[in-house]
Amino acid sequence: MRVSFPHLGHLWVPVRALFTELGVDHVVPPLNTRRTLTLATKNSPEGLCLPFKLTLGNFIEACELGADTLVQAGGAGICRLGRYGRTQEYVLRDMGFQFQILTAGVSEKKLQGIMQLFKKISGGAPWGRIVSAVRFGLAKLNALDEIEKEVHRVRAREKVKGQASALFREATKAVDETGDYDSLKRRKQDYLEKLRAVPQDGEDPLLVGVMGEFYVVLEPFSNNDVEIELGKLGVEVRRDLFISEWTRFSLFLNPLGINEKRHLQQAAMPYLKRDVGGDGWESVGEKVLHARHFDGLVHLAPFTCMPEIIAQNILPSVKEDIPVLTLLCDEQTGKQGMLTRLEAFVDLLKRRRASRRQKVGVH
């Protein structure tokens, strides 16, 4: 058995650590590139969303590297995610690949489903070893997310653009190569200190929330590195979605009845009273809640994603006043066009902030 999995941001780092700890032979597919997208688009059914296509592209490249067991997320929700695995299996078999595909029913089986999956992949490893491997993987995930939050803060203020992003790439590599908790703790602290030491301009940057569909928010290739581009424009990005947070609640706290999205869903209730699948309900709630704290919102959605299409159509009727820029992500999206829209959006936010400060006499 040679296991592989699709990319989602830096999730490959903790997954690789987990498989290594369990002694599982595995393949990390190449990071998403134009080739990944081209392979996926060529072989995907027409009309499917970008997350489906890119994860299919990851599987194609993994099979080319010898993977014979593919792990895909599953679920019983309204989103098409629940059908990804079966549809991708048909496509890959038509292409001639020999493999098995395992789906992790995260939404209904939570931690139990994930642990049973690891038990199967590891060939029946003892539960103590599996728990230890999961803990170490989660420690790496937490470290990277903590560093990334600091990157968001520094990127908007750095005097020489690109330093924070370069340090984050270094940190990702360093965390990936770390083999024990003490080294992990030291490296996390080292990179946090390096980021805080980056020369900064002392400006008060615009605050922009990034929200929308889970995959396109967390996978930089799918959104044309929108957070990096906002940082280059002097904008500090804030987002609620981090893989470590999702893992903590979805696997451990949701089964205890703790719903981390309840405040967003309640905020959305005047405009949308039920779950519409994916993250559409929460996107509406984010506009309501963040209108008082942020200068603007960037709403990311895969093209043809029905939950986010519903949210996109409701957002203009939300009475809370904050500009929202919706960016639809698919293989036809050109980066230059996105940059033009981001620059215009940031200019609008700057003028809006200046106007507001002028009214209250703040300079």
Side-chain angles (χ1 to χ4, degrees):
M1 181 183 291
R2 198 163 196 222
V3 183
S4 191
F5 51 90
H7 280 292
L8 177 65
H10 48 248
L11 182 62
W12 63 274
V13 175
V15 174
R16 175 146 76 182
L18 189 151
F19 285 164
T20 301
E21 291 290 309
L22 289 176
V24 174
D25 187 15
H26 61 276
V27 176
V28 178
L31 294 176
N32 285 318
T33 62
R34 183 55 60 180
R35 180 179 187 270
T36 314
L37 184 57
T38 301
L39 282 171
T41 305
K42 180 181 176 183
N43 293 287
S44 291
E46 185 179 1
L48 282 176
C49 58
L50 189 60
F52 175 93
K53 292 172 182 171
L54 282 174
T55 54
L56 175 65
N58 295 149
F59 284 155
I60 294 172
E61 293 186 311
C63 287
E64 290 174 343
L65 294 172
D68 60 14
T69 301
L70 308 174
V71 179
Q72 177 59 287
I78 305 170
C79 173
R80 285 178 289 195
L81 172 66
R83 300 290 298 171
Y84 277 16
R86 180 62 61 87
T87 309
Q88 289 170 339
E89 183 177 5
Y90 290 143
V91 173
L92 292 166
R93 296 210 184 284
D94 281 347
M95 295 178 71
F97 292 115
Q98 300 296 317
F99 64 95
Q100 63 172 332
I101 191 162
L102 305 175
T103 55
V106 177
S107 60
E108 66 272 26
K109 295 182 180 176
K110 305 294 182 184
L111 180 61
Q112 180 186 5
I114 291 286
M115 297 299 278
Q116 287 173 344
L117 179 69
F118 293 150
K119 184 83 170 176
K120 183 174 183 178
I121 290 173
S122 64
W127 284 116
R129 189 178 175 192
I130 295 174
V131 170
S132 174
V134 170
R135 283 187 62 216
F136 190 52
L138 290 177
K140 287 197 172 191
L141 181 60
N142 290 334
L144 283 173
D145 280 355
E146 191 172 336
I147 293 170
E148 188 176 21
K149 288 175 185 175
E150 185 64 14
V151 169
H152 288 166
R153 192 190 68 79
V154 173
R155 197 182 266 148
R157 297 170 172 85
E158 61 189 358
K159 287 184 177 178
V160 179
K161 294 300 179 187
Q163 287 182 289
S165 297
L167 282 171
F168 188 53
R169 287 193 294 273
E170 282 182 27
T172 303
K173 185 172 184 292
V175 170
D176 178 45
E177 293 172 349
T178 300
D180 60 81
Y181 285 101
D182 288 340
S183 300
L184 178 61
K185 187 177 179 181
R186 281 197 303 274
R187 290 192 174 182
K188 182 186 80 171
Q189 197 57 40
D190 286 347
Y191 278 98
L192 287 174
E193 289 173 5
K194 285 181 181 179
L195 283 163
R196 290 165 189 152
V198 169
Q200 301 177 24
D201 56 19
E203 297 287 330
D204 181 18
L206 293 169
L207 290 181
V208 169
V210 172
M211 64 177 191
E213 192 273 337
F214 188 82
Y215 181 91
V216 294
V217 168
L218 293 173
E219 172 50 47
F221 181 83
S222 71
N223 59 42
N224 284 311
D225 295 312
V226 68
E227 293 180 351
I228 293 176
E229 299 303 332
L230 283 167
K232 289 178 183 175
L233 295 171
V235 172
E236 182 175 346
V237 167
R238 298 280 179 88
R239 64 170 144 91
D240 292 338
L241 275 179
F242 283 88
I243 306 174
S244 57
E245 287 293 303
W246 177 87
T247 303
R248 186 161 65 94
F249 280 97
S250 185
L251 299 187
F252 300 102
L253 298 180
N254 289 167
L256 301 177
I258 300 172
N259 180 4
E260 80 282 15
K261 297 179 180 178
R262 191 181 306 280
H263 65 297
L264 293 172
Q265 294 161 354
Q266 288 178 339
M269 286 297 278
Y271 310 97
L272 184 60
K273 297 187 183 303
R274 53 154 291 188
D275 184 12
V276 292
D279 303 282
W281 201 7
E282 291 75 24
S283 292
V284 175
E286 288 216 41
K287 181 177 181 184
V288 175
L289 287 183
H290 295 323
R292 285 174 293 177
H293 312 296
F294 295 166
D295 294 286
L297 293 167
V298 172
H299 174 220
L300 298 174
F303 182 58
T304 75
C305 175
M306 187 55 71
E308 295 301 335
I309 289 173
I310 292 171
Q312 182 188 1
N313 282 278
I314 292 174
L315 290 175
S317 63
V318 173
K319 68 178 182 181
E320 280 75 10
D321 184 23
I322 182 172
V324 179
L325 173 64
T326 295
L327 297 173
L328 299 179
C329 306
D330 81 342
E331 67 272 18
Q332 303 295 334
T333 303
K335 185 161 187 175
Q336 199 56 48
M338 184 198 77
L339 293 180
T340 302
R341 294 185 68 193
L342 282 183
E343 288 168 2
F345 185 62
V346 171
D347 283 345
L348 180 150
L349 298 183
K350 286 178 178 176
R351 289 198 301 273
R352 188 170 182 268
R353 177 188 272 193
S355 174
R356 287 187 161 194
R357 289 185 170 183
Q358 193 173 27
K359 285 180 182 176
V360 297
V362 177
H363 301 285

